[in-house]
Amino acid sequence: MCGMWGEARRFFSLSDERKLAAGGSMQSVQQGVGVIGYGRMPDHNEFLEMRVGPGHVLEPASLCSELPGFEGAMLAARGTLFRVAAAVVGSAEREVRFRAGALRSLMDDGSLLQHGEVSSSQQRLCHY
């Protein structure tokens, strides 16, 4: 997780032009659920929305070419967060006496994506 925070600091310390080059401007994802890219709001809050595509590739892809090491740190953090989430979901299943794995299908870790799809679970970095 430390790598993710270091990369977040690195991204948000870039010039506006470099942030836009790396993250791309905010755009809708193909399935129409959410957005990916970089955006600055009128109140100067900044957001970088990322998702995972098939083969666990970080989207927007421009982040990988503009910021070496960024993708690995984000994917490692995402993996850690999903393992924690899976443990919480498993505990909830046991608590309410659901069949083990019954709720797992509600978690989109990107492993079932087809060509051209992105995960519905975004990874959002914010700078206020």
Side-chain angles (χ1 to χ4, degrees):
M1 297 295 289
C2 293
M4 178 186 75
W5 295 121
E7 291 297 325
R9 281 189 295 278
R10 181 167 70 126
F11 176 83
F12 287 115
S13 70
L14 297 172
S15 68
D16 289 344
E17 293 80 21
R18 292 258 348 258
K19 284 185 269 200
L20 196 55
S25 59
M26 286 271 182
Q27 59 184 324
S28 294
V29 295
Q30 286 183 327
Q31 295 98 325
V33 180
V35 295
I36 60 171
Y38 167 74
R40 179 188 288 258
M41 303 305 143
D43 61 3
H44 300 286
N45 291 331
E46 299 174 272
F47 300 91
L48 177 61
E49 297 273 351
M50 300 164 287
R51 295 178 189 255
V52 170
H56 286 297
V57 175
L58 193 65
E59 297 287 343
S62 53
L63 287 164
C64 307
S65 59
E66 291 286 328
L67 298 170
F70 188 89
E71 180 180 41
M74 292 304 127
L75 293 177
R78 183 182 175 90
T80 298
L81 293 170
F82 266 95
R83 285 190 299 280
V84 169
V88 170
V89 167
S91 178
E93 288 170 339
R94 288 186 297 280
E95 184 67 28
V96 296
R97 300 178 197 269
F98 278 12
R99 175 184 51 82
L103 300 176
R104 182 68 173 99
S105 64
L106 298 175
M107 297 178 59
D108 181 2
D109 65 359
S111 61
L112 302 176
L113 296 173
Q114 302 297 317
H115 178 72
E117 295 179 333
V118 294
S119 173
S120 63
S121 300
Q122 83 263 8
Q123 189 170 359
R124 176 184 298 156
L125 299 179
C126 308
H127 186 256
Y128 301 108

